[in-house]
Amino acid sequence: MPTCIATSHPSVQAIVKGLRRLGGRLLRSWQSRLDGRIVRVNGPQGLAFNWISNSRYPEAMSRGDYEHDFARALLRVLRPGDTFFDVGANAGYFSLLAKLRVGTGTVVAFEPLPENIRMIRAVEAVNPNVTFDLVEGAVGAYDGEISFEVTKNNANGRLTGVTWVLAKPAIQQVVVRCVHLLPFLQKYRPAVVKLDTEGAEFTILSSLGSPSEWKGLPIFLIEFHGQENTDRCSGVLRNWGYQLFPAASCSETREIPDQYVMAVPSTRGEN
């Protein structure tokens, strides 16, 4: 009779963890060999574009199915000619999708990290007919400079002092440009604003004053980080007269307090 080995045994768990680490290293090694390769991607809703393979970013971006539920929600609310803000643009994946969707409309990407800025510029270069405005800075509560915490994963950087239960440890602190979103809202009057700032969402929203100052009421697509941040942001949005709808779940487990919400002006309702 075969012997059953309990997977809860410490030695078995150690072996499993070791195999996972080895598998991860082999995968990253294989991906790094493809770095710099230009790939043609068939994205959601038939949107085709060029992408640059880079092991520092999720492979799903090269396949066109990165956070596909959220991508579908974004493309559902954008219309040709719209203006879109990508606050926390990372590699520019959603900025690129949005520009393909809005056509002659305007896309403004906000990103503070030099590594991500270089990637955005490279993505623009291999899509010469698709351009968008890039603001090199972190969105905060004022204009000036601000301390920013860099993490190992270039998608998890955040304003210094901002934290939440699953915040990744910082490996470095740098000083970056800080930009206030209100003047941009007044100048561009965006139709849709994506906000993914690793816990700084309340800091940003609470600095925007009254919607009467904005010269327009955009739809917000916000990734909340942590239950406290979710509650505080939801309170601000509802006080402004917004209705909140679940946009997409981008977490591997539903228990993680990390979710995208679509905030729609109550005069408009969910599209």
Side-chain angles (χ1 to χ4, degrees), residues 114-133:
E115 181 182 17
N116 293 340
I117 290 169
R118 288 192 295 271
M119 182 64 175
I120 292 172
R121 295 298 190 195
V123 168
E124 274 194 304
V126 297
N127 294 277
N129 296 322
V130 182
T131 59
F132 40 84
D133 298 337

Side-chain angles (χ1 to χ4, degrees), residues 144-246:
E145 292 185 335
I146 198 166
S147 178
F148 194 88
E149 295 185 350
V150 181
T151 58
K152 184 176 181 181
N153 184 326
N154 51 25
N156 300 134
R158 60 188 176 273
L159 301 182
T160 298
V162 169
T163 188
W164 64 295
V165 65
L166 294 176
K168 301 298 188 293
I171 60 173
Q172 183 184 7
Q173 283 193 5
V174 296
V175 175
V176 300
R177 177 189 176 194
C178 182
V179 295
H180 193 204
L181 196 61
L182 180 57
F184 290 91
L185 289 174
Q186 295 170 332
K187 177 181 178 180
Y188 289 92
R189 300 181 66 175
V192 181
V193 175
K194 180 210 123 193
L195 193 61
D196 180 2
T197 53
E198 298 300 309
E201 295 80 31
F202 177 75
T203 298
I204 294 168
L205 291 176
S206 62
S207 74
L208 297 180
S210 168
S212 62
E213 302 176 56
W214 305 348
K215 302 180 181 179
L217 291 175
I219 291 174
F220 287 95
L221 286 170
I222 305 175
E223 183 175 8
F224 291 140
H225 296 80
Q227 191 59 55
E228 180 181 359
N229 191 42
T230 299
D231 294 341
R232 297 173 77 190
C233 290
S234 298
V236 170
L237 290 162
R238 290 193 175 101
N239 285 338
W240 286 343
Y242 276 78
Q243 295 176 286
L244 275 59
F245 304 94

Side-chain angles (χ1 to χ4, degrees), residues 7-48:
T7 56
S8 60
H9 193 281
S11 61
V12 175
Q13 291 180 335
I15 292 172
V16 171
K17 288 181 180 178
L19 290 173
R20 286 176 177 170
R21 285 195 295 268
L22 176 60
R25 287 196 295 269
L26 290 173
L27 177 61
R28 288 190 293 273
S29 175
W30 174 77
Q31 289 176 332
S32 65
R33 294 181 183 182
L34 301 177
D35 281 359
R37 184 170 64 98
I38 300 174
V39 295
R40 188 63 176 171
V41 179
N42 292 316
Q45 294 191 8
L47 298 177

